[in-house]
Amino acid sequence: MSITTSVGLASGIDTGALIEQLLAIEARPQQLAQQRVAQLQQRQAAYLSLNSSLLGLSGSADVFTSQRIFDSATATTTNDEILTASASSRAAEGTYTFVVDRLVSTKQVLSRGFADRDTAAFGANSFTFEGREAAIDDDIALTELLGGTGVSRGQFSITDTSGNTAVIDATRAVTLQDVVDEINLAQGITVTADVVDNRLRLSDAVAGGGNLIIQDLPGYQTATDLGIATTPTGTAANSLSSAELSVLSRNTALSALNDGLGIMIRDGTADPELIIDLDGTEFATIELGRVEQTYVTQDFESQGLMFTADTVYVPPDNPPDGFVAPPTEVRVDRARAATVGDLIDAIETQTNGRIKVDIDASNGTLTFRDDMGTSDITIRNGSSAQTTADDLKVSGVTGTGGSLTTGRLLAGAGTVLLDSLNGGSGINFSSLDLTITDRSGTEWELADLIEDELTVGGIFTPPSTLDQLVEVINDVLVDEGASNLRVDVNSTRRGLTVIDSSTATPTSNLIVTGGLASQLGLSTGSGGVASNETQGTSLEKQYVGLQQQLSDFRGGIGEGTIRITDAAGAVAEININEGVTTLKDLVDRISSNTTINVTARINDTGDGIAIVDDNGLFGSNSSILIEDVSGRVARDLRLEGEFTSDGTSLVADGSFQTVVTFDSTDTLDDVVQKINNSDAGVGVTVLNDGSEFSPFRLNLTSRESGVDGDFLLDTGGFDLGARTLSEAEDAVVFFGSDDPADAVLLTSSSNTLDRVIQNVTIDLVSASTEPVTVTVAQDIASIESAVDDFVASYNAVIDTIDGLTFFNAETLERGVLFGDATVLNVERSMVRIIQAPGALQGDLAFQRLFEVGIAIGEGGQLNFDRDRFREALESDPDDVESLFSERELLPNEPVQVLPGTFVADTQDDFGRLGVPARIGLLMDDLTNSVDGIVTARTDGIDTQIEQQNDRIAFLGEQLEDRRARLELEFLQMEQAIAQLQSQSASLSTLQPA
């Protein structure tokens, strides 16, 4: 236990209290410094509060320019149960009419019933799935007919030969097949329609003795456009055909040629697409791709390039004073050729008009003609990277007498070019053998008859389209008396069929043999089929070509790196980058790689890319491995994975045809699992319809909606009993008129339209004949809300300033920043800008905020008069927007600091400025984190606080030193007193002697 006390034992003086009193007097400077820190902290908090409110005002002012609040819009509809709409910034205002004819539908197929799903064997060997691009009878839009002129939608009447009349309503027709269906579904007449050899054919099945009459209803011209309209008295025939409907014209898209493969065009390359020779000497090179290149004049001329109407001369940009101009530059900007007209113009322009190009519309060909002579004409590919001459079917052909004609480039409606069949190999007419034995046992040898049919004036002229060939065969059969036999497109739409329509009791199988039969996929072998119809094999229409652009190919093939390991174990990584724009570029890049021994090409079936291993290793363990290192190029081309040898070759085949193979023991459930695990793009489920004997059905549904999700199914002869529940159709909407015939046709692969009205998204809910109006208008509520926020933010700053600078004369209470010049200047600047006009040039209706209902009222607060604001907005919306939203940043010009020496001007200069923008600039001057005025004041206070804290610490150290000295002095005093007291005591004990 210890006892401490500040009272001196010798002196009895309370030294501790005395020291504290002495130090308290000396601590006054430190206390004053602490009070100063407290005051500075209050001012700092006040400035931070002011800064916060200023930032709030800055943000609400910035909304008018950064978010373009005056561009905000709303979209309302007259019937949300049919369609809904939403608008984003800058939506195109107006009133728009829509008729939702049909929603998007997905291909759905339902099979016949099966008794068992998980025990009994299903029985099929394989199913083949392929996209609609493999069809040999694809439909065509009405807008694409007549060389792009199109067929108008409307109504017409048909009166059959018996005098019965029906009205055909084609106002909602989208495709030629839609018109055919409307005719075939018409009630009360015996006329049917089909498309044969690019013509619409109408046939009356009953000879009624009268004329066949087809007339447009008043106000429409659909029948006239289709070429089937007759005179009011009609035609004395049981059938009639239109002129050719799908014909070549200047408006035909180059991408539509060659059954959708188009022609090779490469952008941004020095290689021309075509080279034209006259009499064996190179005459001209033809470029069709996009060109964006700048040449110095002399270089431009030295390359033999011509100055044309689309040549743009480019001077130097904004040359400063003293700038010495470089040699004159010439910029050539030319768009990619997109239509046949573009192709013709490019050839005629780049040959200075000497080579003319003529169109044979019905035959689908082009003729190149020497307009100044009769030179022999040859046309070559521009380089090994180009295939354009091949695509135009003129490569290796010489045109004599001054002209050269291409092969057929456009097939026509509902058919394909024979060149496209058998993977692009076409049909070889050196073998016309075709023998058909019908079910009665009668044999029909057709080869000689077909040759006679195709020989005109002693010249054998083979057909160029599948429809033409089929028509020849069917005409020969009719002429020979075999009218019970006909050739048609089979149920898979990928091949043909031979049908025996005889109802007599069969005595023979239906047998089709011969070289032509084999090429057409119709050969049954000598045994034939015990059926009145054959199911021909796929004609393997080519729909993948080297000329196709990667960006357009099946939704787009992006960039990436693929790794290929060949059968010998060699490995190469191949970069598919921006320099690879076509499938030709891609296969060339793979084939040219010297590390691996492979060749890339179009596969044999024309439906994908094949990579062939050239090592000659075909053992059971031989394989080629293809992987994506980055991106998904291999995956998107269906080339990802390990491919093994078949014993005679080793090929990685990226076919877009999907064959799902079944084992003999596979059940219905096994079939479902295998299809779902494949790349068929089809989802399969088993439905139980509740029937007693065969309740289980396969339900096959495309995984993609709309026309793009259509699929063709070949069951390999297995009786699936399939029926289509839902066809693959795009959504169809008519825009701009209550009458679909007068409206603009819109289609979509989803139930959303987002490109019809600028920045407006339309969601289709249900189909209806009722027109729905969509009104897109300026979003007044959002604008007023933004103005409200601006006014409230301004008033919040005023409230903050009032709270910081007030003075109460009665109580003498004052705000923290009372009399602060900086704060007072802030308020004065704000008021001045609010009351002043905007920095706007021109004779505007509104220059100041009070003119549109925003004025300073009591206490310096802004008031917002909504009625006056709306009146101003209605009377002149552009000027109101300018008053609030203008913020024009001027370009910085170089500043000359020395003769011939220029430096960049980094200071922003503004032209037109609305009032909020001027407030925003003021707020930036005040609150900028680097050099803002309020920021500087806050930083200054920080410095003062730091200095005061340093002083307080210094004074504290001095006080502690003083305390130590006082304590030492009092201790020494106590020691002295104690010593004296001790001496006194000692003396008092001494006795006198």
Side-chain angles (χ1 to χ4, degrees):
M1 178 178 179
S2 63
I3 298 176
T4 60
T5 178
S6 62
V7 178
L9 296 177
S11 66
I13 298 173
D14 189 350
T15 58
L18 185 58
I19 290 172
E20 291 299 330
Q21 290 174 8
L22 292 172
L23 290 177
I25 295 172
E26 296 185 18
R28 289 299 302 275
Q30 185 186 49
Q31 293 170 358
L32 291 174
Q34 289 172 338
Q35 291 173 5
R36 180 58 177 161
V37 168
Q39 292 171 351
L40 290 171
Q41 287 175 336
Q42 286 181 326
R43 293 179 67 82
Q44 185 182 56
Y47 271 112
L48 290 174
S49 174
L50 175 61
N51 193 72
S52 177
S53 62
L54 292 174
L55 288 173
L57 177 56
S58 177
S60 64
D62 186 57
V63 163
F64 294 102
T65 53
S66 64
Q67 298 184 20
R68 301 192 62 87
I69 197 68
F70 278 83
D71 289 335
S72 61
T74 59
T76 58
T77 72
T78 54
N79 192 332
D80 285 349
E81 294 182 356
I82 297 176
L83 63 83
T84 61
S86 59
S88 59
S89 179
R90 305 187 190 184
E93 296 183 33
T95 301
Y96 310 92
T97 300
F98 298 88
V99 175
V100 182
D101 184 65
R102 69 194 83 160
L103 300 181
V104 70
S105 60
T106 303
K107 179 72 169 286
Q108 185 177 10
V109 174
L110 189 66
S111 76
R112 64 177 172 86
F114 295 88
D116 178 83
R117 63 178 294 172
D118 56 7
T119 304
F122 183 66
N125 293 321
S126 65
F127 284 176
T128 300
F129 297 88
E130 201 157 8
R132 68 174 301 159
E133 57 266 69
I136 59 174
D137 65 343
D138 207 7
D139 203 358
I140 186 169
L142 293 179
T143 54
E144 296 177 17
L145 299 178
L146 307 180
T149 303
V151 169
S152 61
R153 299 182 302 278
Q155 297 180 353
F156 57 92
S157 64
I158 298 179
T159 301
D160 64 20
T161 58
S162 298
N164 304 309
T165 300
V167 172
I168 309 302
D169 186 356
T171 56
R172 296 169 181 264
V174 177
T175 67
L176 182 59
Q177 188 59 46
D178 289 340
V179 177
V180 170
D181 291 342
E182 287 293 331
I183 296 172
N184 290 337
L185 292 173
Q187 300 294 312
I189 58 174
T190 55
V191 174
T192 58
D194 59 1
V195 178
V196 177
D197 194 19
N198 200 26
R199 291 173 169 83
L200 177 62
R201 181 177 64 184
L202 274 64
S203 305
D204 193 340
V206 177
N211 286 350
L212 182 61
I213 305 172
I214 304 172
Q215 291 281 284
D216 281 308
L217 267 60
Y220 302 113
Q221 59 177 43
T222 307
T224 300
D225 289 348
L226 287 169
I228 57 174
T230 67
T231 64
T233 57
T235 179
N238 276 46
S239 66
L240 62 85
S241 292
S242 70
E244 292 198 73
L245 294 172
S246 178
V247 296
L248 195 64
S249 79
R250 287 184 57 89
N251 295 326
T252 302
L254 292 176
S255 60
L257 304 183
N258 296 316
D259 289 334
L261 294 180
I263 66 172
M264 173 71 78
I265 296 178
R266 300 177 75 242
D267 294 323
T269 175
D271 292 335
E273 275 73 17
L274 298 171
I275 297 175
I276 299 178
D277 296 336
L278 297 181
D279 289 333
T281 301
E282 182 176 312
F283 169 69
T285 58
I286 308 299
E287 293 183 1
L288 302 175
R290 184 175 62 252
V291 174
E292 296 179 0
Q293 191 167 354
T294 301
Y295 300 88
V296 176
T297 305
Q298 49 265 41
D299 293 338
F300 190 81
E301 293 171 341
S302 68
Q303 294 181 38
L305 302 175
M306 294 173 296
F307 292 88
T308 61
D310 56 2
T311 300
V312 180
Y313 297 84
V314 183
D317 292 330
N318 301 316
D321 293 336
F323 179 80
V324 178
T328 305
E329 295 181 339
V330 178
R331 183 172 181 82
V332 178
D333 291 321
R334 184 182 62 236
R336 160 198 288 267
T339 66
V340 170
D342 294 338
L343 171 68
I344 293 173
D345 291 343
I347 291 171
E348 294 186 351
T349 297
Q350 295 179 45
T351 60
N352 287 322
R354 176 163 179 176
I355 302 299
K356 302 294 187 183
V357 184
D358 301 322
I359 300 174
D360 186 331
S362 61
N363 286 325
T365 61
L366 300 174
T367 296
F368 299 85
R369 178 170 46 83
D370 181 359
D371 197 46
M372 297 177 65
T374 58
S375 302
D376 289 349
I377 300 176
T378 58
I379 299 179
R380 303 180 272 129
N381 293 319
S383 70
S384 60
Q386 308 285 10
T387 63
T388 316
D390 301 326
D391 302 332
L392 290 173
K393 301 171 185 176
V394 293
S395 184
V397 180
T398 299
T400 59
S403 68
L404 172 63
T405 300
T406 68
R408 183 156 188 155
L409 302 173
L410 191 69
T415 189
V416 295
L417 297 169
L418 291 178
D419 291 343
S420 298
L421 303 182
N422 295 316
S425 298
I427 301 295
N428 184 356
F429 285 98
S430 63
S431 173
L432 296 175
D433 290 343
L434 177 60
T435 300
I436 303 176
T437 302
D438 64 19
R439 296 305 302 276
S440 70
T442 304
E443 183 179 280
W444 308 90
E445 293 186 1
L446 305 178
D448 291 341
L449 301 173
I450 293 173
E451 183 174 6
D452 291 344
E453 187 77 10
L454 295 175
T455 301
V456 179
I459 300 175
F460 178 75
T461 306
S464 54
T465 71
L466 182 60
D467 249 14
Q468 291 173 345
L469 179 56
V470 169
E471 186 179 17
V472 166
I473 295 172
N474 286 335
D475 286 347
V476 166
L477 288 170
V478 171
D479 291 343
E480 289 302 300
S483 57
N484 59 308
L485 294 173
R486 65 183 174 89
V487 178
D488 206 343
V489 176
N490 68 20
S491 60
T492 71
R493 298 177 57 204
R494 300 163 67 239
L496 300 175
T497 182
V498 176
I499 301 171
D500 186 345
S501 60
S502 172
T503 58
T505 302
T507 60
S508 169
N509 283 348
L510 181 59
I511 305 170
V512 185
T513 59
L516 184 58
S518 297
Q519 291 188 80
L520 293 176
L522 290 171
S523 179
T524 62
S526 58
V529 294
S531 170
N532 277 37
E533 181 175 353
T534 66
Q535 183 74 5
T537 59
S538 173
L539 284 172
E540 302 295 359
K541 171 193 168 187
Q542 181 183 4
Y543 54 84
V544 175
L546 295 177
Q547 63 269 54
Q548 289 174 292
Q549 299 286 317
L550 289 182
S551 58
D552 299 331
F553 183 68
R554 302 188 72 83
I557 304 295
E559 297 183 7
T561 299
I562 61 175
R563 181 188 296 120
I564 300 178
T565 305
D566 67 14
V571 180
E573 290 191 356
I574 300 170
N575 186 20
I576 309 302
N577 56 19
E578 61 182 9
V580 180
T581 61
T582 66
L583 286 180
K584 178 72 163 57
D585 294 334
L586 185 142
V587 301
D588 285 350
R589 179 155 295 188
I590 294 173
S591 300
S592 62
N593 189 284
T594 57
T595 304
I596 51 177
N597 191 17
V598 302
T599 302
R601 57 175 174 79
I602 301 297
N603 66 6
D604 293 339
T605 49
D607 57 11
I609 299 295
I611 298 180
V612 182
D613 192 297
D614 297 325
N615 287 292
L617 303 175
F618 305 136
S620 59
N621 294 326
S622 296
S623 66
I624 180 172
L625 178 64
I626 304 175
E627 305 165 279
D628 278 314
V629 178
S630 65
R632 44 182 295 166
V633 175
R635 179 179 177 184
D636 289 345
L637 291 173
R638 286 197 167 190
L639 288 169
E640 184 181 38
E642 186 172 11
F643 300 83
T644 57
S645 171
D646 61 4
T648 59
S649 64
L650 176 53
V651 180
D653 192 342
S655 171
F656 286 95
Q657 170 183 282
T658 301
V659 180
V660 183
T661 304
F662 309 122
D663 296 331
S664 60
T665 57
D666 280 347
T667 64
L668 195 66
D669 282 346
D670 294 330
V671 168
V672 169
Q673 183 178 7
K674 286 188 173 182
I675 296 175
N676 285 335
N677 290 340
S678 73
D679 292 329
V682 176
V684 190
T685 57
V686 176
L687 298 180
N688 187 336
D689 65 13
S691 59
E692 183 177 356
F693 299 107
S694 299
F696 302 109
R697 297 172 180 265
L698 287 179
N699 180 62
L700 299 91
T701 305
S702 173
R703 299 187 188 276
E704 185 176 356
S705 63
V707 170
D708 289 342
D710 196 5
F711 64 88
L712 309 180
L713 172 61
D714 186 348
T715 63
F718 177 78
D719 179 19
L720 188 62
R723 61 188 178 94
T724 300
L725 298 182
S726 174
E727 292 287 0
E729 292 185 339
D730 287 341
V732 174
V733 178
F734 296 105
F735 167 71
S737 174
D738 296 355
D739 184 355
D742 295 329
V744 176
L745 170 67
L746 307 174
T747 61
S748 173
S749 59
S750 70
N751 286 325
T752 297
L753 305 175
D754 55 8
R755 296 182 181 179
V756 178
I757 306 172
Q758 181 182 0
N759 295 326
V760 176
T761 298
I762 298 170
D763 293 311
L764 310 179
V765 179
S766 64
S768 174
T769 58
E770 174 190 339
V772 177
T773 299
V774 175
T775 301
V776 181
Q778 193 174 42
D779 189 354
I780 303 299
S782 293
I783 296 172
E784 290 184 349
S785 176
V787 175
D788 265 333
D789 290 343
F790 175 72
V791 169
S793 297
Y794 179 92
N795 290 338
V797 175
I798 297 300
D799 287 340
T800 300
I801 293 175
D802 287 347
L804 297 175
T805 61
F806 76 92
F807 175 75
N808 189 319
E810 295 181 358
T811 64
L812 301 182
E813 184 181 4
R814 63 187 63 192
V816 176
L817 299 179
F818 172 72
D820 188 293
T822 299
V823 178
L824 296 177
N825 285 334
V826 168
E827 184 173 20
R828 281 195 291 268
S829 297
M830 289 172 54
V831 171
R832 184 173 63 253
I833 291 175
I834 286 295
Q835 293 180 327
L840 304 169
Q841 293 84 35
D843 186 17
L844 301 182
F846 309 107
Q847 292 275 5
R848 304 171 189 265
L849 288 183
F850 76 83
E851 296 172 339
V852 296
I854 301 170
I856 294 177
E858 184 179 351
Q861 298 275 313
L862 282 183
N863 296 321
F864 180 26
D865 185 340
R866 278 180 170 73
D867 292 337
R868 186 170 180 181
F869 180 79
R870 290 188 179 183
E871 289 175 3
L873 197 59
E874 289 176 5
S875 67
D876 204 325
D878 290 340
D879 284 5
V880 174
E881 180 179 355
S882 294
L883 181 61
F884 279 88
S885 299
E886 284 286 359
R887 190 177 189 273
E888 179 187 18
L889 181 63
L890 299 177
N892 288 332
E893 298 291 343
V895 177
Q896 184 170 353
V897 293
L898 292 172
T901 302
F902 297 85
V903 297
D905 179 10
T906 59
Q907 180 67 41
D908 286 340
D909 295 316
F910 294 92
R912 294 166 58 89
L913 285 172
V915 174
R918 296 187 66 195
I919 287 286
L921 291 178
L922 173 63
M923 296 303 102
D924 186 61
D925 288 341
L926 296 172
T927 64
N928 187 284
S929 61
V930 177
D931 57 3
I933 295 173
V934 175
T935 303
R937 292 290 289 139
T938 305
D939 291 344
I941 292 174
D942 280 338
T943 301
Q944 293 180 57
I945 290 174
E946 184 179 351
Q947 291 172 346
Q948 291 298 325
N949 283 331
D950 289 343
R951 177 171 173 75
I952 289 169
F954 174 73
L955 292 174
E957 291 174 358
Q958 285 186 324
L959 287 173
E960 290 303 315
D961 290 344
R962 180 61 173 157
R963 179 189 298 278
R965 286 196 302 271
L966 289 173
E967 288 176 346
L968 178 61
E969 289 173 357
F970 276 106
L971 177 60
Q972 290 174 343
M973 181 191 72
E974 285 293 327
Q975 289 175 341
I977 292 173
Q979 184 177 10
L980 290 173
Q981 288 176 341
S982 175
Q983 291 174 351
S984 176
S986 298
L987 290 174
S988 67
T989 60
L990 295 176
Q991 297 295 328

